[in-house]
Amino acid sequence: MNVWIKKFDVDMQVKSNGIELEIRSTNGETQIGDCYATQTGLTWCKGKTTKPKGVKVSWDDFAVICTSEDTLKAALRAAKQTAQ
């Protein structure tokens, strides 16, 4: 993957505008999506989805998902089953 910071509106602390990361395929040709990190959490926008239509996750929920390898694997399994 190639990851680019598209917008860098931060001092030392992430503000409400946050940081926008552009995620592209390894060869750089395909935009996989954008990830926004703000004070309130993360927003994932697949492909060219706009931020208001993205999937939001709070920092508390993100921390729960990433607490252990087991919880992360369970979340990924559930997400992949839903995508099918």
Side-chain angles (χ1 to χ4, degrees):
M1 300 287 169
N2 289 318
V3 180
W4 297 89
I5 296 175
K6 290 175 64 175
K7 190 174 179 183
F8 198 65
D9 290 339
V10 292
D11 289 334
M12 294 297 282
Q13 181 180 34
V14 175
K15 304 293 183 180
S16 56
N17 284 340
I19 300 171
E20 181 179 356
L21 301 172
E22 180 178 294
I23 316 300
R24 291 192 161 271
S25 61
T26 305
N27 64 10
E29 293 180 10
T30 305
Q31 182 177 355
I32 296 169
D34 293 321
C35 183
Y36 299 86
T38 65
Q39 286 177 332
T40 57
L42 297 169
T43 302
W44 171 250
C45 301
K46 183 177 180 181
K48 300 274 184 177
T49 303
T50 60
K51 187 176 178 183
K53 294 182 180 178
V55 177
K56 296 176 178 128
V57 60
S58 71
W59 288 114
D60 289 335
D61 289 343
F62 180 74
V64 168
I65 292 167
C66 296
T67 298
S68 71
E69 291 286 329
D70 290 337
T71 58
L72 179 60
K73 287 177 184 177
L76 289 170
R77 266 194 311 274
K80 288 175 182 178
Q81 288 176 351
T82 302
Q84 291 179 352

